[in-house]
């Protein structure tokens, strides 16, 4: 049953395909990082770290695979001991709790953490012979960042990547894709915007009719869960431990993440096991699937909705809450304009935090608001820590900010508008649309996934139900060292590392 959901299950399924993959990696001079190295970059071979000094973070160079981790500095080149993060002060958040935000715009190639998920999904298929780069096309269904990460990873691995995403996503996403795909036809636009995930699935079903297309669906690929459990979970642990080195009395109370594909929220399982923290799932109020089995359209780009991902460990999720895209759009204006930052400066927000605000994109702002709601609901104080992630930065949303300015502030945005936005969406953030999940609530959310995965996508009901058991989630983690051994074996067979 475990092997059914993992597909390859850690076994080589096609030795001939694997041999062709080894030949392609040797030809394109690719060394594959292990999952362990992405979680602990200090394990990366010294010769690779030395060669990386000559490689820019956005260069289509295979060595950039070794930067697909949380430990890049602000220049996205240097290596830091503690992942870059912001500790948001009360002057910004309005709460005493320490809200700590890990910064995803430090990742290479796409300036977003989804490149980690993309590698975590493709690498296992490559080293088990399930993906043959000499003939297969990697198809990346997404609402934006995952397909960008997939196209980047595909190019670095010497294969062809196809992006499938809604036509209504931000212009910046399409501009980036246009500069990276092999052929303009490798950008497939589907109807709708952020909420229209099923339309993406429908297009992938058509593409899957071609045996040379391999669909890497982040919502059902357990490599996505596993790479975030290990790499993102341990990165957040390192940030928290660095804070406790200075203030030992601090206590990690919660991890907050928009559900999206349910990859990032896997870090909540890691942190819960080590610190007993709560796992808090955010979604858009305009489409509150977990909270109310709701539906709708929204503009918090990057968080998905209208279904429960197969890789979401629902029964380990403690809270579901919703944030409105009115709040994220308007706070994007507050954080992204000089008028907005000037107002925050008057409120006592320091320069370091103001300089860090460009690292917060729309879904990142959603996560911060979710953290504020969590702190308010539980009455958290100055010794309590809530951690979250900034999945991407504001640079991907310049066009969306202009749209928000026209929609909400047609007469201009000044200090009065900034005060209004801050008052409504930060100080005014309440504990409405917030649910502590009891067993019956979790069961309801789990069951909702049946209609997507069993009825629509053809997952066997026995495999679907197996995910209720905590032992299932513990068991799949055992495949990671197996994958790492296969990666080491492939690297030995190509001989590229020894030749560097």
């Amino acid at each position: 049953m475990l092997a059914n959901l993992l597909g390859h299950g850690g076994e080589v399924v096609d030795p001939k395909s694997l041999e062709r993959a080894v030949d392609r990696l040797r030809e394109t001079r690719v060394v594959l990082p292990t999952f362990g190295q992405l979680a602990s970059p200090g394990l990366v071979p010294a010769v690779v770290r030395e060669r990386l000094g000559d490689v820019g973070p956005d260069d289509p160079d295979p060595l950039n695979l070794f930067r697909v981790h949380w430990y890049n500095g602000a220049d996205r080149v240097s290596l830091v001991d503690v992942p870059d993060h912001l500790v948001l002060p009360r002057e910004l958040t309005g709460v005493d709790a320490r809200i700590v935000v890990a910064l995803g715009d430090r990742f290479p190639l796409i300036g977003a953490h989804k490149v980690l998920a993309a590698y975590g999904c493709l690498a296992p298929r490559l080293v088990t012979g399930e993906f043959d780069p000499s003939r297969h096309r990697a198809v990346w269904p997404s609402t934006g960042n995952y397909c960008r990460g997939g196209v980047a990873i595909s190019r670095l691995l010497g294969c062809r990547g196809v992006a499938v995403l809604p036509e209504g996503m931000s212009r910046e996403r399409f501009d980036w894709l246009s500069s990276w795909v092999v052929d303009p036809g490798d950008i497939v636009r589907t109807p709708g915007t952020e909420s229209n995930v099923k339309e993406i699935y429908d297009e992938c079903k058509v593409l899957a009719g071609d045996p040379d297309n391999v669909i890497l669906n982040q919502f059902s690929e357990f490599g996505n869960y596993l790479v975030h459990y290990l790499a993102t979970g341990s990165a957040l642990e390192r940030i928290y431990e660095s804070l406790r080195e200075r203030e030992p009395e601090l206590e990690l109370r919660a991890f907050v993440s928009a559900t999206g594909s349910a990859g990032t929220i896997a870090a909540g399982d890691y942190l819960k096991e080590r610190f007993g923290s709560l796992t808090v799932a955010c979604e858009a109020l305009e489409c509150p699937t977990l909270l109310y089995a709701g539906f709708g359209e929204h503009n918090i780009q990057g968080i998905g909705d209208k279904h429960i991902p197969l890789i979401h460990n629902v029964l380990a999720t403690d809270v579901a809450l919703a944030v409105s895209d009115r709040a994220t759009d308007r706070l994007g204006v507050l954080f992204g304009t000089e008028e907005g930052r000037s107002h925050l400066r008057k409120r006592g927000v320091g320069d370091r935090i103001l300089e860090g605000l460009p690292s917060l994109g729309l879904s990142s702002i959603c996560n911060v608001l979710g953290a504020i709601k969590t702190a308010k609901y539980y009455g958290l104080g100055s010794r309590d820590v809530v951690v979250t992630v900034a999945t991407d930065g504001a640079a991907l949303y310049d066009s969306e900010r202009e749209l928000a300015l026209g929609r909400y502030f047609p007469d201009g945005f000044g200090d009065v508008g900034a005060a209004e936005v801050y008052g409504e969406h930060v100080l005014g953030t309440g504990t409405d649309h917030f649910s502590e999940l009891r067993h019956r609530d979790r069961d309801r959310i789990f069951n909702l996934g049946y209609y997507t995965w069993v009825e629509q996508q053809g997952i066997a009901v026995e495999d679907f139900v197996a995910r209720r058991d905590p032992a299932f989630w513990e068991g799949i983690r055992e495949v990671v060292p197996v994958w790492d051994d296969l990666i080491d074996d492939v690297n030995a067979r190509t001989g590229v590392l020894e030749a560097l």
Side-chain angles (χ1 to χ4, degrees), residues 132-149:
D132 181 351
S134 70
R135 70 179 185 91
H136 284 145
R137 297 197 309 170
V139 178
W140 304 93
S142 150
T143 55
N145 284 339
Y146 175 73
C147 68
R148 293 196 307 124

Side-chain angles (χ1 to χ4, degrees), residues 51-369:
R51 289 296 184 90
L52 272 172
D54 298 324
V55 178
D58 295 315
D59 293 346
D61 188 306
L63 285 176
N64 262 324
L65 294 170
F66 287 89
R67 288 194 175 119
V68 180
H69 56 67
W70 288 94
Y71 289 82
N72 300 302
D75 59 3
R76 300 165 64 229
V77 172
S78 57
L79 196 64
V80 295
D81 292 330
V82 178
D84 274 2
H85 61 279
L86 299 174
V87 181
L88 302 182
R90 179 181 177 82
E91 290 80 6
L92 179 61
T93 65
V95 296
D96 290 327
R98 313 291 180 88
I99 294 178
V100 181
V101 188
L103 302 181
D105 65 355
R106 274 43 172 174
F107 276 84
L109 306 169
I110 69 170
H113 82 323
K114 282 288 190 177
V115 70
L116 176 67
Y119 183 79
C121 293
L122 182 54
R125 287 177 175 261
L126 193 66
V127 300
T128 56
E130 248 194 325
F131 186 89
D132 181 351
S134 70
R135 70 179 185 91
H136 284 145
R137 297 197 309 170
V139 178
W140 304 93
S142 150
T143 55
N145 284 339
Y146 175 73
C147 68
R148 293 196 307 124
V151 166
I153 293 296
S154 300
R155 183 165 169 181
L156 266 55
L157 294 177
C159 58
R160 190 168 172 181
V162 178
V164 182
L165 73 166
E167 60 189 353
M169 303 309 291
S170 72
R171 185 190 68 223
E172 289 80 3
R173 283 172 163 81
F174 287 105
D175 289 346
W176 185 96
L177 285 167
S178 295
S179 67
W180 272 78
V181 293
V182 173
D183 184 280
D186 291 340
I187 303 173
V188 180
R189 293 169 169 83
T190 57
T193 55
E194 177 64 33
S195 299
N196 297 97
V197 174
K198 183 181 182 298
E199 288 78 0
I200 300 171
Y201 287 173
D202 291 344
E203 180 63 30
C204 285
K205 187 174 292 186
V206 174
L207 291 170
D210 183 341
D212 286 343
N213 288 332
V214 175
I215 313 299
L216 293 155
N217 187 343
Q218 61 175 330
F219 299 93
S220 58
E221 289 280 330
F222 283 89
N224 184 9
Y225 171 91
L226 290 168
V227 77
H228 277 299
Y229 173 86
L230 181 64
T232 301
S234 60
L236 296 173
E237 177 184 35
R238 178 69 189 101
I239 292 171
Y240 172 56
E241 288 179 339
S242 74
L243 298 175
R244 287 220 301 183
E245 288 168 7
R246 297 189 294 272
E247 299 178 77
E249 70 278 9
L250 294 178
E251 181 179 357
L252 181 59
R253 296 295 301 276
F255 167 64
V256 177
S257 173
T259 46
S261 67
T264 306
I265 205 169
D269 288 359
Y270 182 101
L271 296 171
K272 184 193 295 285
E273 291 163 7
R274 284 155 179 78
F275 305 108
S277 53
L278 299 173
T279 300
V280 179
C282 293
E283 58 184 347
L285 180 59
E286 290 75 16
C287 190
T289 307
L290 279 72
L291 267 178
Y292 307 128
F295 55 90
E297 302 289 336
H298 71 89
N299 193 47
I300 309 178
Q301 297 189 22
I303 72 171
D305 44 34
K306 282 188 183 173
H307 80 307
I308 310 302
L310 189 70
I311 66 170
H312 186 179
N313 185 5
V314 171
L315 297 185
T317 304
D318 301 291
V319 172
L321 63 83
V323 170
S324 172
D325 67 1
R326 171 182 167 87
T328 54
D329 280 349
R330 285 158 63 90
L331 284 171
V333 173
L334 181 72
F335 294 168
T337 59
E338 184 51 45
E339 294 86 352
R341 289 189 292 268
S342 175
H343 178 80
L344 293 174
R345 187 176 290 108
K346 293 174 186 175
R347 299 192 65 89
V349 179
D351 286 343
R352 183 179 183 278
I353 298 299
L354 293 174
E355 290 167 2
L357 293 180
S359 291
L360 305 183
L362 294 178
S363 62
S364 309
I365 294 171
C366 173
N367 284 345
V368 169
L369 290 176

Side-chain angles (χ1 to χ4, degrees), residues 367-378:
N367 284 345
V368 169
L369 290 176
I372 293 172
K373 288 174 78 77
T374 300
K376 288 187 175 183
Y377 183 89
Y378 289 106

